[in-house]
Amino acid sequence: MALIVQKYGGTSVGSVERIASVAERVLKTVKAGNSVVVVVSAMGKTTDSLVKLANQISTNPSRREMDMLLSTGEQVTIALLSMALQELGQPAISLTGAQVGIVTEAEHTRARILHIQPERVERHLKDGKVIVVAGFQGISSTSELEITTLGRGGSDTSAVAIAAALKANYCEIYTDVPGILTTDPRLVPDAQLMAEITCDEMLELASLGAKVLHPRAVEIARNYGVELVVRSSWTDEPGTRVISPTPQPRSLNDLEIARPVDGVEFDTDQARVALLRVPDRPGVAARLFGEIARQNLDVDLIIQSIHEGNTNDIAFTVATPILKRAEAVATAIAPVLRTANPSPGEAEVMVQQQIAKISIVGAGMIGRPGVAAQMFATLSDAGVNILMISTSEVKVSCVIDATDGDRAIEALCQAFEIREQGSGVRGQGEQRSGGAGEPVRGVALDLNQARLAIRQVPDHPGMAAKLFGLLAEHNISVDMIIQSQRCHVIDGVPTRDIAFTVAQIDAEAAQKTLEQAAVELKWGEIIVDSAIAKVSIVGAGMVGQPGVAAKMFAALAQHQINIQMIATSEIKISAVVAQDQWVTALQAIHAAFELAGSDKIEVPA
Ligand code: ADP
Ligand code: ASP
Ligand code: MG
């Protein structure tokens, strides 16, 4: 007999008929000899409607009252589903988050789960009941016993956390699509179903905008080795399996907050090539990386900073043995780009050898802004200057001077409690290898991001730490952090621009926070742009495969789409484009990597 946790999303329980159909499926699972815990969302678009109601009363409602309001949605569904099961003759009991003992931080509207007290659920299961749990909600650990919610889409997280706490055999996420697809089928109808995906790939896709799974649910599945499947509640098709590696043992206490970092990686075999003052127009990145791909050279990190005047800087890292050839390509192409767009300065190639990449590895890095901030602060305290930053949900990497390498490793291992002797520290060549097969598994789109840029940030160790520490204090998650390569000397102080993306809802708070600090820290202007779209490709197989970035940039260039920013990690490449170009961008990239299937995916209304 297996213990199965099943989660049904809003559309799957969107009407009385749908709830009856879910009850049938649950009953079938029980009749097959399993114990079942069901986690449900609010019916249909109930949560959205509740948000609208609140906004009719207040433009800035208190987060505590929002939790009180939004948590009611799920409570309707649990009672109705429990009744539907009882009608079928199946003993069932509905329980709120508090009744299940889902204990969270007191952080309203985005609480993380601390632990789950499984005793009551286990008792009811022993009595042969199906337990129907309200997803998305918990109860604070403080004496006030406040109702909390986990953040929009959080029912997935409730389900996987319960599966981890109960040591369930597996967790099924039932939704309105056949599983995890190469992209959102509402935007690209010939998106194709994947039979399986690694949790690292899924974490990236989810944090880059694929809302089919809440990133925190994937984090918990990865950390506790929960077997996770995403399926349609309309069919009996097997859906998509999310594959987790064998987890390191970890306590169920502080379930979502303990040990975000489980390893430190370093790679000293790196060199950096930067092209300064390349024209800011479609096709430039495609041309540069197209030529590099034709030479079969593999680039690791790529960044393109936001434009200054009508030019950009593009920088990338390569392994030292191929540096000479990469440099030759960049040097050959610089004059071509220059004549195409006579700009005030000269396009120029800069090469830096003796650099190292140091990374912290884990899950949920972007979702936990304090982690990257702690990394930057640790490096700063150790006197290490950061040359380049790459963020992703599974890794934050900093390119530093190679001579700082040992000091950086030691400081990070200490800060994140990684034992140097153990398996948590990996040198070059021992890092996770790329997945087999297709380099790109999926394409994600995020229209809810804003870009912030701070001009003229003094360039010395500790600036990134200060900046991202401030944002982390306000719980603001940051992605695509890019420092310009160009250096302007102002009053004798070298400065660089820093740009990054945040969720649109955090943009105003981020701007305010930074403006307050700007005078004291001698920063220049702070610029916000919300009319952006972030398009990303994800795939573990892109590690060590030349030409992936070139193909993505060429697809955009073919449609005359200008790339405003580029940031990569080992398993993703993100580009920021103008918001009104997102449809073309997404479809062009999906087509370029030949991700389309033969069937059109129909999504229930
Ligand atoms: P639920 O209410 O069941 O939790 P969601 O609306 O949160 O469902 O998530 C399912 C939706 O996610 C799909 O209807 C689809 O539009 C969207 N989606 C975005 N990216 C993907 C993807 N790569 N694969 C599948 N669905 C995706
Ligand atoms: N009902 C909540 C929401 O719409 C939680 C969820 O469905 O996962 O965000
Ligand atoms: Mg969802």
Side-chain angles (χ1 to χ4, degrees), residues 235-258:
T235 70
D236 287 321
E237 299 302 316
T240 307
R241 289 181 51 212
V242 182
I243 314 286
S244 295
T246 312
Q248 296 174 7
R250 71 163 62 215
S251 155
L252 284 160
N253 286 328
D254 289 343
L255 196 131
E256 275 200 281
I257 61 168

Side-chain angles (χ1 to χ4, degrees), residues 159-301:
V160 181
I162 290 172
L166 296 176
K167 303 193 170 54
N169 296 76
Y170 52 95
C171 177
E172 296 177 320
I173 305 286
Y174 283 96
T175 184
D176 54 8
V177 285
I180 298 160
L181 301 150
T182 48
T183 194
D184 189 340
R186 290 176 204 266
L187 313 177
V188 183
D190 60 4
Q192 193 176 176
L193 181 69
M194 296 182 233
E196 49 180 57
I197 185 166
T198 65
C199 65
D200 277 5
E201 289 170 321
M202 192 57 228
L203 263 172
E204 295 289 10
L205 279 177
S207 94
L208 293 166
K211 80 165 189 173
V212 61
L213 273 181
H214 201 228
R216 283 164 49 190
V218 190
E219 234 175 83
I220 300 171
R222 170 199 182 272
N223 290 345
Y224 292 92
V226 177
E227 294 260 351
L228 186 60
V229 185
V230 179
R231 309 175 57 178
S232 164
S233 65
W234 270 259
T235 70
D236 287 321
E237 299 302 316
T240 307
R241 289 181 51 212
V242 182
I243 314 286
S244 295
T246 312
Q248 296 174 7
R250 71 163 62 215
S251 155
L252 284 160
N253 286 328
D254 289 343
L255 196 131
E256 275 200 281
I257 61 168
R259 280 185 69 87
V261 175
D262 47 33
V264 170
E265 288 179 0
F266 59 96
D267 184 349
T268 48
D269 191 25
Q270 296 257 311
R272 179 170 71 144
V273 180
L275 257 95
L276 307 191
R277 289 182 289 276
V278 298
D280 179 37
R281 62 175 164 70
V284 170
R287 183 139 190 198
L288 171 64
F289 291 101
E291 196 47 43
I292 288 177
R294 255 187 299 285
Q295 306 272 339
N296 211 23
L297 301 174
D298 183 35
V299 292
D300 182 8
L301 303 179

Side-chain angles (χ1 to χ4, degrees), residues 459-476:
D459 183 28
H460 54 72
M463 260 311 154
K466 186 92 210 163
L467 207 169
F468 297 104
L470 277 172
L471 295 176
E473 269 169 34
H474 292 80
N475 221 332
I476 297 175

